[in-house]
């Protein structure tokens, strides 16, 4: 029996269980609000959001692989395409696009036109350094680490700060192949 | 977790058996060699203690994977034998059969390996293995009380 072909993001998005978008947005907003109250420092909150995203990412990758049936991506370009087209579509219901490839193919930008996390959100003046969607950068970093790619993900453009779109820069630091974990003499 | 209790498993062609319970053992490993799950239903001979057994199994599969990737006649570029490979890259074997058992294997790009040891006349088990992976995702990856990298209770 031939292995199943990878499913498109739309097909999977239609078939998984979905939560109400507003519930999701408001829950996320409440989380960020609570973090700000608890930690008070904007930098700390950014770090904490990234860490939370990382923890989510390491589990999310298995769900993504199981539902979408994609086979191993040959290179980083394909990986970025798959994240933008299938991944974002499957989990958030939005399609992202990949732009700005650099010369050796290790760094790209993922652009999101709309972002369900930031509906109804405005940043007050006291929180200007906050990356509200930092959880997304953690999620991408966590999932890629579980498929042996060490990456660094940062926000380039953020609509809450006045830009016109959301742009994440994903930079591949290195590919870490699997090693035999046991020592030979044990 | 009772998936082999009846014969309800999967959408693939039925496993040829009279009682429906066809598997001998099942292992689930993660990318660091930690055995996340081990179940046995029919294993008359125990030769090693569980730790060594898990290490042996993981080592066997790791080496087999390396070997099959190296011997691949269709792939253009090969490193030396023993060079670590990214999980899922190159070709990967999916089963081997002896006269007394058949071992089926599935590996995901995230390094989760699922191994099933069954009766030798079992058909292709890739679909059931995928189904087991889906179950893993639903109940293990999504479980907030589970720490990734520890064994599953």
């Amino acid at each position: 029996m031939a292995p199943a072909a990878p499913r498109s993001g739309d097909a999977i998005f239609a078939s998984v269980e979905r939560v109400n978008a507003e519930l999701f947005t408001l829950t996320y907003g409440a989380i960020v609000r609570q973090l700000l109250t608890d930690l008070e420092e904007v930098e700390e909150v950014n770090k904490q959001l990234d860490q939370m995203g990382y923890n989510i990412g390491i589990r999310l990758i298995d769900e993504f692989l199981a539902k979408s049936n994609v086979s191993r991506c040959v290179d980083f370009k394909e990986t970025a395409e798959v994240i933008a087209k299938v991944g974002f579509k499957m989990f958030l219901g939005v399609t992202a696009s990949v732009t700005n490839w650099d010369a050796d193919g290790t760094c790209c930008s993922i652009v999101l036109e709309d972002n369900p996390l930031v509906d109804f959100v405005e940043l007050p003046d006291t929180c200007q350094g906050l990356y509200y969607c930092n959880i997304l950068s953690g999620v991408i970093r966590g999932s890629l680490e579980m498929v042996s790619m060490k990456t660094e993900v940062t926000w380039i453009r953020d609509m809450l700060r006045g830009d016109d779109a959301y742009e994440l820069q994903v930079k591949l630091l290195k590919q870490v192949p699997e090693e035999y974990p046991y020592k030979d003499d044990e | 977790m009772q998936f082999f209790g009846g014969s309800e498993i999967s959408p693939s062609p039925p496993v040829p058996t009279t009682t429906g319970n066809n598997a001998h053992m099942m292992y689930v490993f993660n990318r660091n060699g930690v055995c996340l799950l081990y179940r046995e239903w029919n294993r008359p001979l125990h030769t090693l203690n569980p730790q060594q057994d898990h290490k042996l199994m993981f080592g066997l599969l790791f080496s087999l994977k390396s070997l099959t990737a190296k011997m691949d006649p269709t792939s253009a570029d090969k490193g030396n034998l023993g060079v670590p490979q990214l999980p899922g890259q190159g070709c990967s074997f999916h089963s081997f059969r002896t006269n007394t058992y058949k071992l089926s294997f599935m590996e995901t790009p995230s390094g989760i390996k699922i191994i099933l040891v069954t009766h030798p006349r079992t058909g292709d088990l890739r679909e059931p293995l995928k189904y087991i992976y889906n179950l893993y995702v639903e109940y293990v990856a999504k479980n907030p009380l589970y720490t990734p990298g520890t064994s599953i209770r």
Side-chain angles (χ1 to χ4, degrees):
Chain A
M1 175 185 321
R7 301 165 66 188
S8 76
D10 297 311
I12 311 170
F13 187 61
S15 69
V16 298
E17 259 179 31
R18 280 167 277 175
V19 297
N20 183 319
E22 270 132 36
L23 177 63
F24 180 63
T25 308
L26 293 173
T27 308
Y28 184 67
I31 293 176
V32 177
R33 181 85 178 72
Q34 191 60 41
L35 279 172
L36 279 167
T37 318
D38 288 340
L39 299 171
E40 285 173 32
E41 274 266 343
V42 164
E43 266 318 302
E44 277 300 312
V45 174
N46 284 340
K47 267 209 294 232
Q48 192 66 280
L49 281 174
D50 187 73
Q51 184 57 34
M52 283 164 65
Y54 179 79
N55 291 336
I56 292 177
I58 60 185
R59 298 168 188 251
L60 195 96
I61 182 69
D62 278 317
E63 185 180 352
F64 175 71
L65 290 170
K67 298 233 164 83
S68 70
N69 249 337
V70 297
S71 57
R72 182 82 197 177
C73 294
V74 173
D75 58 9
F76 188 60
K77 286 199 181 195
E78 198 183 330
T79 310
E81 282 294 325
V82 165
I83 294 177
K85 298 281 176 295
V86 185
F88 270 100
K89 183 76 200 171
M90 186 171 147
F91 289 108
L92 290 177
V94 297
T95 319
S97 52
V98 185
T99 54
N100 273 355
W101 278 105
D102 73 340
D104 41 344
T106 55
C107 184
C108 69
S109 292
I110 298 186
V111 181
L112 291 159
E113 297 301 320
D114 61 326
N115 185 344
L117 293 174
V118 302
D119 290 339
F120 321 128
V121 175
E122 256 178 41
L123 280 186
D125 294 325
T126 52
C127 304
Q128 281 303 317
L130 181 68
Y131 285 115
Y132 189 79
C133 308
N134 219 22
I135 207 168
L136 288 179
S137 60
V139 170
I140 295 182
R141 187 169 66 90
S143 342
L144 286 176
E145 184 158 324
M146 293 305 275
V147 285
S148 330
M149 290 187 232
K150 267 196 160 28
T151 51
E152 195 182 297
V153 185
T154 44
W155 286 97
I156 308 277
R157 284 189 284 166
D158 190 342
M159 261 162 130
L160 295 175
R161 296 181 177 202
D163 302 313
D164 51 348
Y166 292 96
E167 187 175 333
L168 266 172
Q169 184 187 58
V170 184
K171 188 169 145 82
L172 176 69
L173 298 173
K174 59 189 235 179
Q175 304 245 13
V176 190
E178 240 176 46
E179 291 194 341
Y180 189 63
Y182 303 118
K183 294 203 285 289
D184 284 328
D185 52 2
E186 283 177 353
Chain B
M1 288 203 283
Q2 280 285 328
F3 346 112
F4 279 94
S7 51
E8 86 292 279
I9 318 172
S10 74
S12 75
V15 188
T17 175
T18 51
T19 61
N21 194 348
N22 204 22
H24 296 243
M25 288 131 52
M26 179 170 83
Y27 298 78
V28 177
F29 287 101
N30 77 354
R31 58 206 317 245
N32 296 326
V34 176
C35 181
L36 302 177
L37 181 67
Y38 169 66
R39 282 283 182 276
E40 64 181 49
W41 294 277
N42 176 14
R43 188 177 188 177
L45 179 66
H46 289 253
T47 47
L48 299 168
N49 79 35
Q51 258 50 52
Q52 287 177 318
D53 185 54
H54 298 328
K55 268 208 237 178
L56 178 68
M57 185 58 86
F58 184 79
L60 167 72
L61 292 163
F62 191 85
S63 317
L64 262 177
K65 242 184 349 144
S66 248
L67 187 69
T68 51
K70 229 42 74 184
M71 283 177 53
D72 185 0
T74 62
S75 128
D77 144 76
K78 294 176 252 203
N80 298 318
L81 190 62
V83 164
Q85 288 276 342
L86 304 172
Q89 191 178 52
C91 72
S92 64
F93 84 100
H94 51 86
S95 64
F96 69 76
R97 187 166 53 185
T98 70
N99 57 343
T100 48
Y101 68 90
K102 177 173 184 176
L103 184 145
S104 309
F105 170 71
M106 181 183 91
E107 183 180 20
T108 68
S110 59
I112 303 290
K113 305 175 200 348
I114 306 186
I115 293 117
L116 263 175
V117 177
T118 58
H119 184 277
R121 275 207 316 273
T122 314
D124 186 12
L125 279 178
R126 272 181 282 187
E127 282 304 313
L129 285 170
K130 278 223 211 61
Y131 181 78
I132 294 175
Y133 183 52
N134 279 348
L135 284 173
Y136 166 84
V137 162
E138 281 305 309
Y139 294 105
V140 177
K142 290 190 181 176
N143 183 347
L145 299 174
Y146 168 71
T147 325
T150 58
S151 60
I152 305 169
R153 303 223 175 291

